[in-house]
Every structure is written in structure tokens, then in C-alpha cells.
Amino acid sequence: MSGGGARGLAHVGVLKVLTAAGIPIDCVSGTSMGGVIAAAYACGISVCEIEEKALQLSHMRELVKFLDISYQRRGLLEGTRIRDYLAELFIDQNIENLPVRLALPAVDLIQAREIVFTSGLVLPAVLATIAVPGLFQPVEIGPYRLVDGGVLNNLPVDRVRELGADIVIAIDAQFDPYSEKPWQDLPVRPGFPVPLPDFFLDFYRAELIMVAELTKAHLKDSPPDLLIRTPIPLDVDIFLGFPRIPEVIAAGEFAAREALPQIQRLLKAARA
């Protein structure tokens, strides 16, 4: 499951369709928002509960509760409130003991390489994979200073292959910098809950282009058996899309229903 901020909640819609159709899911991997959804599913949290929690974030009054401005300036947000929220979901759970196998990628700023969590506590791994540079402070774990796994591997097909997956379905919900307008070109300046300077928007535009190019390279080297691209409206972006979460989830459902016959053919061929 790819990252993508608010757009990443399309994964909830995909999971709804797959579970309703009885498609077996043995292992999952995801980065950033995709990592949160993957971890929740791997922990045995029902898709209905995941959807319920996701829909709560569509209300601005709920979203604002997570805003804790950082004064250390290593991230716009301190991240304490998000940590407290996620701790309620993943408290004292170890990845190696989960009912579904899980891999969560992050990136170590010290060694400049990807670090993949397949064991240890779930919560620190989730916090690492969502640590968007500039937005959150890096997560310090042992010798590592970790940031969002999407920096190097936004759609970690290779990580579920390593977990033993025979059939891999990749869901890409990320912002497409080639077909979608940057925030600076929108008719109205975005009303972020936290005021953002223009250089921040330029920085993220550049990062999204790099992520898109890296994803293309990864998919060429480690192609999935099926790639699902969720048809999220072009004006729903990673930061401002939270009020439209019902629409984002519906886009995931639509994409999964369209892909379901092909998934069933893949399963039938694998069992033959």
C-alpha cells in the first residue's frame, strides 16, 4: 500500500472489497499512510473499524486535535498527539506475533538506506514510516534516525515478496505530479490548518516528483502481479484531502471492484 496522505485512505476501500469477496490476505506492507492501514489490518483490526476511524478524520475538528506545533523546528509538528492516538491502536504489539505478516519500510538518514521492520514493536515502526521530512521530526530508534519510507520505496512490492507472497496486489494512491496541478497553480491558495510558506510547497512538489520516479523504477525491478491505481479526483491532494475521505474510500472501492475479476483469475491460476 502506497503512501499518499489523505489519498492513502483509499486503501481502506480496497480492503473492504477484497475482504467482502473472501480474497485471502496473508501479508501486507505499506509506507506512510499505507503503512498505518497495513499495520492496522495486520494487527487484526476489522476493516469496518479502520473505516470508522478514517471517517472521523474527515471532520476538521477531529483533525485539528493532532496539530501540535513544534518549537524545535525539525518538523512543523511535534507529533506527540499523533503518537498518543496511534498508541491506542498498536499498544504493546509485536510485528512477529501479528495474525498477518507485516513489513514497514522507513529510511535512515544516518546510513542513507532503507530500513524494513519485520519484527519488534509495531508502534515505533509505524511512527517511523509516517515521519514525513519537514512535517514530523525523525524517529530515533537505536542507531537509526528514521523518516518516511516513501522517500525511497513508496510502493513496497519487494517487501511483501520477501515475506513470501505468491501473488502481489499493489495499490498506488499517491499524488501524481505529472497530471495533477501543484498547489501554487490552484485558483485559491490552500487553507492549511498550519500556515505554510511557499518554499515548503515547492519542496514537497519536488519530493513528489522524485517519489514518482523512484516508484516507476521499483515497479520495473519488482513488478506486482496486479497494480491498482485508485481514481481519486485530481483536486484531492495529500494535505487537503481529509474532508473528502468518504470520496477517497469510495474511489478505492471502485478500483478494487474493477480489479476483482482479474484477482480471482490470478488466484484460480495459482491454485491450478
Side-chain angles (χ1 to χ4, degrees), residues 189-252:
R189 183 176 174 78
F192 290 99
V194 177
L196 299 177
D198 287 335
F199 78 82
F200 185 88
L201 303 182
D202 291 336
F203 170 78
Y204 268 96
R205 174 75 176 170
E207 182 172 328
L208 289 168
I209 293 170
M210 290 187 289
V211 166
E213 286 297 314
L214 280 172
T215 298
K216 282 199 286 187
H218 278 296
L219 291 177
K220 184 177 180 180
D221 292 338
S222 183
D225 296 282
L226 177 63
L227 174 61
I228 296 176
R229 296 193 187 277
T230 53
I232 302 169
L234 299 182
D235 59 339
V236 178
D237 63 54
I238 60 178
F239 292 125
L240 302 180
F242 286 96
R244 297 172 66 178
I245 286 175
E247 192 177 348
V248 170
I249 293 175

Side-chain angles (χ1 to χ4, degrees), residues 139-155:
V139 175
E140 306 278 350
I141 300 178
Y144 307 128
R145 183 174 299 155
L146 300 168
V147 296
D148 191 329
V151 170
L152 288 179
N153 195 357
N154 196 55
L155 191 56

Side-chain angles (χ1 to χ4, degrees), residues 26-29 101-105 114-118 153 156-168 218 222:
D26 303 300
C27 46
V28 290
S29 182
R101 280 167 285 171
L102 173 68
L104 292 177
E114 185 179 358
I115 303 295
V116 184
F117 290 91
T118 55
N153 195 357
V157 172
D158 49 348
R159 300 312 172 196
V160 281
R161 295 280 188 206
E162 292 167 359
L163 291 176
D166 297 311
I167 299 173
V168 176
H218 278 296
S222 183

